[in-house]
Amino acid sequence: MLSGSGCALWIVLLSHLETAYATYSEDQCSWMGSGLSQQPGSVEQISLHCAEGSLDWLYPKGALRLSLSPRLPSGAVGPGGAGRSSGLITACIKPEETFWGAQIYLERDGILELLVGDRPDSPQPPRVRCFSRPPGEKVALFLQATPHQDISRRIASFRYELRGDWNARLSLDSNTVHHEGACRPCNDTEILMAVCTSDFVVRGNIRSVLNDEDLRVSVIKVSASRVYRQKYSLFPTGGRLTKAGEIRTLLQCGVKPGAGSFLFTGRVHFGEAWLGCAPRYKDFRRAYEEARNTHEIPCELASD
């Protein structure tokens, strides 16, 4: 057991070691640092400039103020967009299951709103929290360390994602992002735009639907007959060379298994596929052929 002076020396040495980790990633997408190197009562200013990344705050002490300024394309649109950008930015943060030692607030024009509380003994995994920023509004995240006697286990880590014109179909938290229209079927214009802008475009059949009441999510298990596009390996090859994967959507949409072939589109959200537009394949082909005949098709899709 260390004496009082020995313990103090260990903390000093640990502080010097952690200072080396107070760094940005080379592309300024992520940050890692330690509260042991911060002055008491100080607020460290951090700025990240990517559409997605992470923050790891070891032994939280004092506070951090995080500004997120993604370099997004000027014409970024979501799968339900109409080809133009409103300038709206939607951000989501996903705390790690071991998140402990701090609280995360949304700072909007000097007003703080609690997004994530300190959760040392909670049995439930932390929820994804989302919020939107209108054009011209200054938004930041404020992380406040909570006092604890034991510094050895405290690590406040989370991942973030930001998108331009991310529509309600991809929102996860009804407290911060409106769900109006999230379960509405897409019209022909939205379907064709989804094919052009989605992270995945897959033709397939619904094998089953699993509902998670706690997370308010439905998981659609899909057998894919054709993968036109996918970000990451969402639909890997399974038995007999078929491809299978999972797509998530809001529980309130009440998705049920149905016969027939569908065209699934959507976004990748923290490594998971989230449903955008999902017309029956025959309805997509009808809309696609009509748009091509009138020279109004926004992009080409390989024919079967």
Side-chain angles (χ1 to χ4, degrees), residues 146-206:
T146 52
H148 290 277
Q149 294 295 324
D150 181 8
I151 69 170
S152 62
R153 295 173 54 203
R154 290 185 292 155
I155 300 178
S157 299
F158 65 87
R159 296 160 60 190
Y160 71 87
E161 291 184 349
L162 300 96
R163 296 289 187 270
D165 280 357
W166 220 355
N167 70 3
R169 300 174 187 278
L170 304 171
S171 61
L172 298 178
D173 197 321
S174 59
N175 294 326
T176 52
V177 177
H178 295 298
H179 283 170
E180 184 179 355
C183 305
R184 174 184 58 81
C186 295
N187 59 37
D188 289 353
T189 300
E190 292 169 337
I191 290 171
L192 296 176
M193 188 58 65
V195 170
C196 302
T197 62
S198 293
D199 291 334
F200 62 89
V201 180
V202 174
R203 180 183 179 183
N205 301 83
I206 300 176

